[in-house]
Amino acid sequence: MNRRNVLKSLSILPLVGAAAVIPQNGQAQEKPKRNQWTPKKQVIRKSNSGGNTNPTVSGATKPASVLSGCIRSGHLLFLSGIGGWYAERRAEPGDIKVQIHSALTTMKEVLEEAGSSMANVLKVHMTVAEPNQNIAALNEAYRGFFPDPAPVRSYTGCGIDQMGRDGILVQIDCIAYVD
């Protein structure tokens, strides 16, 4: 028997104590087919422009979307960044409390449109302009949007000039599930 056949005939037993299944007929077990399962991707909401998940003023011309606002894959929903202020929704940007309230209200609308809710949010990520000045007020406005247990949350801080558009103080995205 050559070396290759000897190596092929050896069974590799798990090192952690789990029992190995050794085929009775001496044939190697069939491996799962390559690419047997792939997550399906369904667009729940198209982005109106960039990552904007907010509806625009009716009749306004929309630039070609480069992102999706909400994608469903299996039982998971992925929401793209929702800004705290859109001029077509409110004339003035407002402070961080106004903006986080606006972004979370939009998030709630998108989740409900997709068949989910704020109770099903698993992970929230925010980009916060000038976090040393804004995080305390943001936390105050954030309370009450999610029932217990609250989702895990992280944030990235940046300068106000790095938010992509003037007036934006927060952008929020999340991962949620659908029952």
Side-chain angles (χ1 to χ4, degrees):
M1 186 180 256
N2 70 26
R3 184 175 165 203
R4 177 173 280 160
N5 289 338
V6 170
L7 291 174
K8 280 184 180 179
S9 69
L10 294 176
S11 294
I12 299 175
L13 297 176
L15 299 175
V16 205
V21 177
I22 302 171
Q24 296 292 333
N25 60 6
Q27 297 288 327
Q29 287 182 344
E30 247 184 64
K31 292 182 181 178
K33 293 180 182 176
R34 189 175 191 167
N35 298 327
Q36 184 175 357
W37 180 82
T38 55
K40 305 231 180 328
K41 213 162 90 168
Q42 175 188 8
V43 176
I44 300 297
R45 182 183 272 204
K46 276 289 201 190
S47 179
N48 294 326
S49 66
N52 181 359
T53 58
N54 291 303
T56 58
V57 177
S58 61
T61 56
K62 301 176 195 175
S65 177
V66 296
L67 303 172
S68 294
C70 179
I71 291 280
R72 179 175 177 167
S73 180
H75 290 284
L76 293 177
L77 294 172
F78 300 86
L79 274 67
S80 68
I82 301 167
W85 176 62
Y86 296 93
E88 62 269 8
R89 284 193 146 194
R90 194 174 59 247
E92 294 296 318
D95 65 6
I96 191 71
K97 287 183 182 181
V98 169
Q99 289 198 21
I100 194 64
H101 185 275
S102 177
L104 289 170
T105 300
T106 301
M107 178 186 286
K108 183 177 188 257
E109 292 168 6
V110 175
L111 289 169
E112 289 173 355
E113 178 184 326
S116 189
S117 69
M118 296 296 266
N120 293 356
V121 175
L122 302 169
K123 167 104 171 97
V124 171
H125 181 265
M126 298 182 291
T127 302
V128 182
E130 308 301 342
N132 292 344
Q133 297 169 10
N134 289 319
I135 200 71
L138 180 145
N139 284 336
E140 188 179 318
Y142 186 91
R143 274 183 191 60
F145 269 93
F146 300 97
D148 284 335
V152 297
R153 187 182 93 178
S154 60
Y155 78 90
T156 304
C158 67
I160 199 160
D161 60 330
Q162 297 168 318
M163 289 299 289
R165 282 190 297 123
D166 289 341
I168 301 281
L169 299 175
V170 66
Q171 185 181 60
I172 187 166
D173 60 81
C174 76
I175 299 170
Y177 67 91
V178 180
D179 291 323

